[in-house]
């Protein structure tokens, strides 16, 4: 005989403002099997929890129903209270009288009647509840970090410094990401490479970090604590163990006019190359698409001049497999090429460049060694126009979201220009200035007031060339839409930040969600900003959305803290709300017919095939089984099972039927 306790919470006035809680408790006490029914203003408070514990002990309750707010917030609280009183925590249920009743209805008798029905349904379900035990999953204490930008570097170092092994993979030949391309960083104007390079070296030399550059995730299988990652090591055509990084190979390479990706096309590189002088590792690779040997079958100059014999043209891609416990995804972002704005002239006029190209011009390691020069003729521009929101916040032609960092790096660009060209003039066309960060507003004010940057609020309508000058036509909305025309030497577009190439494919490999713009989606925007819906996979940096460096670093350390917390235990404890195939002890008696529709439907690949054999080792039957470590309890398999052989623990067909009947019979 069930002895259920019902505890109705007022949730302050959240519930009691529209629901008669006292009447709900009174009506609940009349339900068969309810031993005690009370209402209280704050059931989640310490006195409220004590009330539940005492009732369990004094009345010998076999189940508890708490009628309160969202189970997502407080179900663990009440289950813990039940466990402390000696009741299996999964004999406790919560019904949501707040979001499902008081917040969506006006005050009245019907609202109270609905609340009573919700309580009645849960009482009937709780009568059929069975004690459940938490699932224990072993953990491999090794982390995989995907992406070698500042986010991946920070996260790797934090995890490695906590004493755990880390595998860091980067798809490019060097780690460093976009931060290594920057000249200086806002709002402190630190030299970007000066603060980044030591961290790059630290990662490469850390005893707990295994670094693979020019490598990509090929496949990820398994579940939290027990992933198996297959990594493709792309052939560099150079043996890193033999190469000393002397540089003779690329100094003699005859193919010298390949646009440099690191310099955003403003400089040239050879077919065998290192991306930049401070690259880590500082070993060259061969670009097969431009190497004469790979395209025409002759040359091999680099092989002839290499003093250590490190060049190996026949070196194939390699594949390695690693057992890991957690994944940190830090694949960063990309920059939208603004050639879809023909009115701005990008791609048509050489002196219309992107913000990232301006970074390379302003950098001491850039193609002009830090001098601001026009790409067309190498002269120093005396008047520059910066155009903000080139692609961002423009649902008509660009992207509707704000790229977040453009306002700040545009102010930085204008400031750097004024510092390098003292007699120059700079203009910034903007929609509004978003400088939300520590010392950010002061930084923009400094650009305007101390460095004399001219800010014009308005959009640019057109950029065209006339007599070697770029004519920028726009309006000043602060002057009532007054037309503005500036004769500039150079135009810099603050183009939108977009998801990295291949983000969608990578998300599908890892079974994580992504938003309509291909940025990876967090599990909850406020409470789980670095977690994904796939347990054990975490996010950090601009792979989630455009972010500045401080936020990226903070997020990377947050993801690392999650991994370290996971690795602090030898086993992982999970809630047992997962699918199970049959509940009959004998496999031979299983009603599963082996159609495996559940296997094809499962989004988490939690279904596997189990062969049932007799004593002679002959296969009697092949049935579906559920890996409780992978299962997320979504219930998709239940809906696909033709023989009704699968249930979600705690949500069986009988329990759902009891809930429905409780409403119909009311």
């Amino acid at each position: 005989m069930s002895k259920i306790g019902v505890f109705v919470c007022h949730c302050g006035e959240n519930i009691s403002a529209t629901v008669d809680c006292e009447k709900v408790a009174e009506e609940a006490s009349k339900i068969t099997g309810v031993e005690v029914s009370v209402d209280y203003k704050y059931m989640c408070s310490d006195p409220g929890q004590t009330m539940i514990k005492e009732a369990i002990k004094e009345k010998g309750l076999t189940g508890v129903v708490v009628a309160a707010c969202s189970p997502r917030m407080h179900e663990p609280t009440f289950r813990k209270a039940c466990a402390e009183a000696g009741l299996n925590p999964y004999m406790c249920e919560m019904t949501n009288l707040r979001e499902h009743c008081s917040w969506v209805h006006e005050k009245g008798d019907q609202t109270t009647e609905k609340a009573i029905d919700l309580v009645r349904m849960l009482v009937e379900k709780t009568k059929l509840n069975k004690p459940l035990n938490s699932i224990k999953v072993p953990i491999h204490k090794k982390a995989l970090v995907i992406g070698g930008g500042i986010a991946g570097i920070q996260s790797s170092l934090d995890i490695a410094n906590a004493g755990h092994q880390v595998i860091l993979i980067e798809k490019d030949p060097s780690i460093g990401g976009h931060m290594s391309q920057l000249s200086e960083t806002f709002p402190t104007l630190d030299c970007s490479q000066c603060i980044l390079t030591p961290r790059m070296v630290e990662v490469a030399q850390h005893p707990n970090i295994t670094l693979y550059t020019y490598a990509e995730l090929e496949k990820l299988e398994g579940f939290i604590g027990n992933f198996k990652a297959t990594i493709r090591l792309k052939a560099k055509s150079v043996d890193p163990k033999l190469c000393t990084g002397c540089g003779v190979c690329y100094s003699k390479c005859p193919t010298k006019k390949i646009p440099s990706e690191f310099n955003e096309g403003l400089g040239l590189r050879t077919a065998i190359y290192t991306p930049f002088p401070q690259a880590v590792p500082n070993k060259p690779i061969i670009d097969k698409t431009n190497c004469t040997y790979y395209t025409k079958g002759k040359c091999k100059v680099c092989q002839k001049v290499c003093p250590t014999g490190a060049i190996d043209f026949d070196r194939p891609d390699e594949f390695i497999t690693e057992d890991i416990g957690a994944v940190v995804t830090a694949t960063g972002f990309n920059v939208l090429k603004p050639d879809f704005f023909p009115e701005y002239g990008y791609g048509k006029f050489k002196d219309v460049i992107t913000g990232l190209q301006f970074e390379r011009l302003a950098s001491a390691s850039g193609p002009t060694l830090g001098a601001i020069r026009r790409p067309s003729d190498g002269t120093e521009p005396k008047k520059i126009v910066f155009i903000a929101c080139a692609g961002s916040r423009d649902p008509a032609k660009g992207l509707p979201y704000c790229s977040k960092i453009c306002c700040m790096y545009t102010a930085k660009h204008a400031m750097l220009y004024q510092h390098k060209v003292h007699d120059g003039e700079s203009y910034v066309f903007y929609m509004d200035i978003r400088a939300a960060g520590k010392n950010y507003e002061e930084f923009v004010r400094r650009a305007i007031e101390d460095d004399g940057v001219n800010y014009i609020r308005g959009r640019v309508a057109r950029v065209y060339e006339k007599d070697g000058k770029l004519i920028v036509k726009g309006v000043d909305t602060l002057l009532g839409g007054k037309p503005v025309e500036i004769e500039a030497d150079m135009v810099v577009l603050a183009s939108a930040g977009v998801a990295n190439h291949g983000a969608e494919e990578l998300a599908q490999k890892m079974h994580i969600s992504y938003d309509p713009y291909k940025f990876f989606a967090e599990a909850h925007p406020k409470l789980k900003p670095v977690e994904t819906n796939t347990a054990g996979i975490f996010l950090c940096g601009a792979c989630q959305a455009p972010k500045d460096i401080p936020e990226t670093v903070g997020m990377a350390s947050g993801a690392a803290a999650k991994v370290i917390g996971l690795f602090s235990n030898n086993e992982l404890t999970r809630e047992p709300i997962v699918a199970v195939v049959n509940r009959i002890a004998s496999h031979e008696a299983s009603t599963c017919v082996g159609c495996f529709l559940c296997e094809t439907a499962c989004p988490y690949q939690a279904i596997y095939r189990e062969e049932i054999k007799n004593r002679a080792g002959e296969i009697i039957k092949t049935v579906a089984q559920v890996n409780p470590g992978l299962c997320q309890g979504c219930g998709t398999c239940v809906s696909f099972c033709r023989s009704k052989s699968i249930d979600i623990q705690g949500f069986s067909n009988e329990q759902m039927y009891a809930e429905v009947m409780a409403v119909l019979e009311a």
Side-chain angles (χ1 to χ4, degrees):
M1 180 67 181
S2 298
K3 298 172 74 174
I4 308 295
V6 176
F7 301 88
V8 182
C9 180
H10 294 216
C11 199
E13 292 187 345
N14 274 305
I15 296 173
S16 62
T18 53
V19 174
D20 185 345
C21 295
E22 188 176 350
K23 184 177 180 182
V24 173
E26 182 186 344
E27 291 299 318
S29 67
K30 300 174 184 176
I31 302 172
T32 303
V34 172
E35 184 72 15
V36 58
S37 179
V38 295
D39 64 294
Y40 187 67
K41 196 166 188 177
Y42 293 106
M43 199 60 77
C44 60
S45 65
D46 191 51
Q49 292 183 54
T50 303
M51 186 186 298
I52 295 173
K53 293 177 191 175
E54 291 176 350
I56 292 171
K57 293 174 182 174
E58 292 173 4
K59 305 289 183 181
L61 300 181
T62 59
V64 166
V65 173
V66 181
C69 56
S70 168
R72 193 168 186 172
M73 289 292 293
H74 283 304
E75 193 171 62
T77 304
F78 294 118
R79 282 185 170 164
K80 183 182 176 187
C82 290
E84 289 173 354
L87 184 68
N88 184 286
Y90 298 98
M91 299 302 288
C92 172
E93 295 282 356
M94 276 193 76
T95 184
N96 191 344
L97 293 193
R98 194 177 66 179
E99 285 91 330
H100 292 177
C101 193
S102 66
W103 277 3
V104 291
H105 299 296
E106 299 292 332
K107 183 178 182 179
D109 293 341
Q110 286 186 323
T111 304
T112 301
E113 289 299 322
K114 180 179 178 180
I116 295 168
D117 284 343
L118 290 171
V119 171
R120 183 182 291 110
M121 290 166 68
L122 258 290
V123 169
E124 296 304 323
K125 176 177 184 285
T126 306
K127 289 178 183 176
L128 298 174
N129 276 9
K130 295 178 181 176
L132 300 175
N133 295 315
S134 299
I135 298 170
K136 302 288 185 182
V137 181
I139 298 172
H140 285 290
K141 296 186 179 181
K142 183 186 289 185
L144 172 68
V145 178
I146 306 173
I150 183 58
I153 289 172
Q154 180 69 36
S155 196
S156 298
L157 287 173
D158 286 345
I159 297 169
N161 288 335
H164 301 296
Q165 293 292 315
V166 177
I167 297 172
L168 172 59
I169 62 173
E170 164 57 46
K171 64 180 175 57
D172 290 331
S174 170
I175 59 174
H178 282 307
M179 188 175 170
S180 63
Q181 293 179 283
L182 306 182
S183 55
E184 297 175 21
T185 59
F186 61 78
T188 53
L189 292 185
D190 290 312
C191 167
S192 183
Q193 292 210 1
C194 296
I195 57 176
L196 177 65
T197 305
R199 295 247 152 174
M200 293 165 62
V201 174
E202 190 179 351
V203 160
Q205 296 179 347
H206 202 292
N208 285 344
I209 298 176
T210 303
L211 173 62
Y212 295 117
T213 56
Y214 214 44
E216 293 181 353
L217 180 70
E218 188 73 14
K219 188 167 62 176
L220 185 70
E221 300 171 300
F223 52 94
I224 180 171
N226 293 271
F227 292 109
K228 191 176 286 294
T230 303
I231 301 165
R232 175 193 288 267
L233 306 179
K234 295 181 285 185
K236 298 178 179 178
S237 304
V238 177
D239 188 336
K241 294 178 181 175
L242 296 177
C243 178
T244 61
C246 66
V248 174
C249 53
Y250 51 78
S251 66
K252 300 294 183 183
C253 179
T255 309
K256 299 180 182 296
K257 295 186 177 179
I258 305 167
S260 165
E261 295 85 355
F262 184 75
N263 284 322
E264 293 293 311
L266 296 179
L268 300 175
R269 63 165 172 83
T270 51
I272 182 168
Y273 71 106
T274 53
F276 53 101
Q278 299 81 19
V280 174
N282 203 342
K283 304 287 178 68
I285 68 163
I286 294 180
D287 173 7
K288 293 181 179 178
T289 58
N290 289 293
C291 173
T292 307
Y293 172 75
Y294 285 107
T295 56
K296 298 180 180 177
K298 54 185 179 181
C299 184
K300 290 191 174 182
V301 170
C302 53
Q303 191 178 53
K304 294 170 187 170
V305 300
C306 179
T308 61
I311 308 298
D312 181 1
F313 289 104
D314 299 323
R315 197 179 184 88
D317 289 357
E318 296 179 40
F319 294 88
I320 59 171
T321 302
E322 295 278 357
D323 291 320
I324 54 174
V327 180
V328 176
T329 309
T331 50
F333 74 112
N334 216 318
V335 176
L336 183 68
K337 296 296 181 188
D339 47 5
F340 62 93
F341 274 123
E343 57 268 40
Y344 288 169
Y346 182 82
K348 183 178 180 182
F349 308 124
K350 286 185 176 180
D351 297 326
V352 179
I353 62 175
T354 67
L356 204 49
Q357 288 176 313
F358 187 85
E359 292 281 356
R360 296 311 304 146
L361 287 180
S363 174
S365 64
T368 59
L369 303 178
I372 307 298
R373 302 288 179 184
R374 299 209 317 168
S376 61
D377 54 15
T379 59
E380 186 177 75
K382 297 300 181 185
K383 193 179 289 185
I384 290 187
V385 171
F386 297 90
I387 301 176
C389 294
S392 304
R393 305 175 64 197
D394 188 352
K397 294 196 68 175
L399 298 162
Y401 59 80
C402 171
S403 290
K404 197 172 185 177
I405 54 177
C406 313
C407 288
M408 293 306 299
Y409 76 64
T410 297
K412 181 190 74 173
H413 288 169
M415 195 182 288
L416 291 178
Y417 170 71
Q418 296 294 160
H419 292 176
K420 290 176 181 286
V421 184
H422 300 296
D423 58 342
E425 289 181 69
S426 56
Y427 296 83
V428 175
F429 278 89
Y430 70 101
M431 293 170 65
D432 51 42
I433 300 172
R434 297 184 172 184
K438 186 176 181 180
N439 297 325
Y440 283 14
E441 175 67 17
E442 294 89 330
F443 185 80
V444 176
R445 299 305 314 174
R446 179 181 157 192
I448 298 170
E449 295 170 2
D450 294 351
D451 294 303
V453 179
N454 301 294
Y455 270 70
I456 301 170
R457 186 180 183 280
R459 276 193 180 277
V460 169
R462 187 184 170 204
V463 178
Y464 62 94
E465 201 171 54
K466 182 179 179 183
D467 300 330
K469 297 285 186 180
L470 293 167
I471 310 301
V472 181
K473 300 190 74 168
V475 294
D476 189 335
T477 57
L478 295 181
L479 295 177
K482 178 185 176 183
V484 177
E485 184 174 306
I486 299 173
E487 193 176 87
D489 298 315
M490 184 186 287
V491 172
V492 181
L493 305 176
S495 43
V498 295
N500 219 336
H501 298 310
E504 186 177 12
E505 183 184 356
L506 181 62
Q508 290 169 354
K509 283 179 184 175
M510 296 191 294
H511 307 291
I512 62 174
S513 306
Y514 51 92
D515 67 18
Y517 310 107
K518 309 294 188 296
F519 286 113
F520 299 142
E522 65 282 346
H524 190 282
K526 296 182 182 68
L527 302 179
K528 295 183 177 179
V530 301
E531 298 170 70
T532 67
N533 283 325
T534 301
I537 299 182
F538 305 96
L539 304 175
C540 60
C543 65
Q544 186 191 37
K547 287 182 170 56
D548 58 23
I549 294 171
E551 190 177 1
T552 295
V553 171
M555 202 175 174
S557 291
K562 291 288 182 183
V563 173
I564 295 166
L566 176 66
F567 289 177
S568 64
N569 298 303
N570 293 324
E571 289 184 326
L572 176 69
T573 302
R574 286 197 56 207
E575 286 205 348
I577 312 300
V578 297
V580 290
V581 181
N582 284 341
R583 299 191 177 182
I584 303 170
S586 168
H587 286 307
E588 291 86 343
S590 170
T591 57
C592 174
V593 297
C595 67
F596 298 109
L597 279 175
C598 53
E599 185 183 33
T600 57
C602 178
Y604 302 100
Q605 299 181 327
I607 307 288
Y608 66 94
R609 301 184 182 204
E610 182 181 13
E611 293 178 344
I612 310 302
K613 299 179 181 177
N614 61 18
R615 292 184 178 179
E618 297 166 337
I619 299 173
I620 302 171
K621 192 175 184 179
T622 303
V623 297
Q625 285 300 320
V626 178
N627 184 329
L630 277 175
C631 180
Q632 300 296 310
C634 69
T636 306
C637 55
V638 178
S639 61
F640 273 76
C641 182
R642 291 173 172 174
S643 58
K644 308 298 179 191
S645 300
I646 307 180
D647 270 327
I648 298 291
Q649 293 196 119
F651 294 89
S652 66
N653 287 336
E654 291 77 13
Q655 287 173 304
M656 297 299 100
Y657 182 75
E659 285 195 49
V660 174
M661 292 307 296
V663 177
L664 296 178
E665 292 173 357

